[in-house]
Amino acid sequence: MDSPLTLDAPSYLRLEGEGVHLREWSEDDLDALIALYDDPEMARWTPVASPFDPAAARVYLAEAREARAQGRKVQLAITTDGGLPRGEVLLFPSKADERDAEIAYGVGSAHRGRGLASRAVRLLSSYALGHTGARRVVLCIEEANAASAAVALRAGFVLTDDEPLLRMSRGREITLRTWSLTSTP
């Protein structure tokens, strides 16, 4: 039997490769965080507060730090140079199988179409497979989210035959399909 994965990441995690820099969020990023998440497409596909105002950003950042301190989740800003956040990637144990690492992601509207999400997902997947003990990395994507499915394909993931996952989001039940990666491309 495989062991559950561990998110005992270094106290400050920074990953670089493929033209992206993934780094921890800071208080200085609040405006960028608002610009990222106060967007109709983010509200459509993610469970973040909408509207995503300064109060929501402060709560989001505090919850991210608490989850990080408890080893439940790692949330990293996607940048191209270590500076301005252009998106975010999250790494956490899968709710469906504790042996799997799950990644979620989002890129701000002004930065979409540049391959940032797929490059960030590949980079974080490589870290997850090499450092967490995960048997595989999964992406759980809503069936209608064609853009995220395209990111999964570009990042080297394959659609699995796992049972679709049903989750509640914004008061409605959504169906998520599981995409999997067991080794880095």
Side-chain angles (χ1 to χ4, degrees):
M1 172 102 178
D2 296 324
S3 301
L5 68 98
T6 178
L7 289 182
D8 293 333
S11 61
Y12 185 86
L13 183 60
R14 182 183 184 106
L15 303 173
E16 298 179 14
E18 296 203 38
V20 294
H21 300 247
L22 307 180
R23 64 164 176 80
E24 304 279 344
W25 289 98
S26 76
E27 290 293 327
D28 294 338
D29 294 325
L30 283 176
D31 289 340
L33 193 58
I34 294 165
L36 170 65
Y37 280 117
D38 194 32
D39 169 48
E41 282 299 299
M42 288 294 207
R44 179 179 180 193
W45 302 114
T46 70
V48 299
S50 180
F52 197 83
D53 57 17
R58 282 190 289 281
V59 168
Y60 186 83
L61 191 56
E63 289 175 352
R65 287 190 175 132
E66 182 179 333
R68 177 79 157 92
Q70 295 172 353
R72 294 184 289 116
K73 189 185 308 181
V74 175
Q75 294 176 236
L76 301 172
I78 300 171
T79 77
T80 57
D81 59 4
L84 176 70
R86 295 165 178 358
E88 177 179 46
V89 287
L90 300 85
L91 175 66
F92 50 96
S94 171
K95 291 178 183 175
D97 190 320
E98 65 183 10
R99 299 170 298 169
D100 296 339
E102 186 172 334
I103 291 179
Y105 48 88
V107 172
S109 61
H111 310 290
R112 293 183 189 133
R114 300 177 189 171
L116 291 173
S118 57
R119 290 184 281 150
V121 166
R122 277 194 302 268
L123 184 58
L124 190 54
S125 295
S126 179
Y127 173 83
L129 290 169
H131 295 90
T132 68
R135 70 177 179 140
R136 65 182 184 165
V137 177
V138 297
L139 307 174
C140 296
I141 300 173
E142 193 169 345
E143 288 181 315
N145 192 339
S148 278
V151 167
L153 285 170
R154 284 193 304 274
F157 284 70
V158 296
L159 184 60
T160 71
D161 58 4
D162 294 3
E163 279 293 315
L165 303 170
L166 301 176
R167 293 189 184 157
M168 292 300 291
S169 178
R170 299 186 194 283
R172 67 180 179 92
E173 188 173 72
I174 59 171
T175 302
L176 302 172
R177 299 297 312 270
T178 301
W179 295 74
S180 172
L181 181 72
T182 56
S183 63
T184 53

